[in-house]
Amino acid sequence: TYDRAMRPDSGPESRRHKTIHGYFLGAAYNFDPIAIYGQFGQQFGGMMSTKGLQFTPPMVRAQQMRDFSYARGSRFDSAMVGASHEAGPHRYMASWQNMNTLGRAITGDTAQMHVFSVAYRYTLSKRTELRAYAYVARNYGFIRALNARTASLGVRHRF
């Protein structure tokens, strides 16, 4: 995919770079019962962030790591590999993601970020599942020695 985020010419960041470009390529293959997948991506001119931003540590939030962080001359490379295994109502998932920042750093540091995650899903019925996941991030927000952990347990029901 190709994504582009453009910021209006107003606000406190109006003198900074105004466009983020992102290129992402992903692939998956199902070997039944095991599936593998991978992704490579690059972002230029800043960073488009996704899930978990409401849990971003204050230290990172204060250093411009938000939904869209614009930074002229910045570049981010990311790669992710993962696998899943299904056995009856059980589905086990694991992945590893690596992200490098090149050029101007958004958070003032350029440490390589790693995210390790595991997840589990148990199907109770055709429309109801139990879900759990956990992840550990090293050098979160590219800040050296800033680590983050998150875990969640939930029920999903589709009406």
Side-chain angles (χ1 to χ4, degrees):
T1 67
Y2 168 74
D3 294 311
R4 187 168 98 174
M6 297 186 329
R7 181 174 47 80
D9 288 341
S10 61
E13 292 184 345
S14 62
R15 284 177 262 128
R16 297 177 72 191
H17 196 40
K18 296 175 177 65
T19 306
I20 301 172
H21 300 272
Y23 304 90
F24 305 95
L25 176 64
Y29 191 81
N30 190 352
F31 291 101
D32 202 24
I34 295 174
I36 60 170
Y37 47 92
Q39 172 268 335
F40 176 77
Q42 291 184 324
Q43 296 181 61
F44 301 91
M47 175 177 248
M48 294 178 245
S49 297
T50 57
K51 286 189 166 194
L53 291 172
Q54 66 270 32
F55 304 111
T56 304
M59 176 181 172
V60 176
R61 266 196 310 267
Q63 297 184 40
Q64 308 302 321
M65 190 73 162
R66 298 184 299 250
D67 286 341
F68 298 98
S69 297
Y70 299 86
R72 184 183 309 275
S74 66
R75 177 178 143 194
F76 301 91
D77 293 341
S78 66
M80 187 266 305
V81 293
S84 66
H85 172 69
E86 285 202 49
H90 308 278
R91 183 172 188 180
Y92 307 92
M93 298 159 273
S95 69
W96 168 75
Q97 182 176 8
N98 176 41
M99 190 172 242
N100 294 311
T101 178
L102 307 164
R104 186 177 182 278
I106 287 182
T107 57
D109 203 345
T110 58
Q112 191 175 65
M113 184 167 61
H114 300 276
V115 179
F116 307 91
S117 59
V118 293
Y120 172 74
R121 184 185 73 199
Y122 181 78
T123 303
L124 293 171
S125 70
K126 205 162 42 168
R127 299 184 311 175
T128 306
E129 302 168 341
L130 292 176
R131 297 172 158 227
Y133 77 87
Y135 81 81
V136 174
R138 298 230 166 100
N139 300 326
Y140 187 75
F142 308 105
I143 298 173
R144 198 167 313 285
L146 178 62
N147 299 323
R149 290 183 293 267
T150 298
S152 176
L153 180 62
V155 176
R156 176 182 177 195
H157 181 76
R158 294 177 291 260
F159 293 95

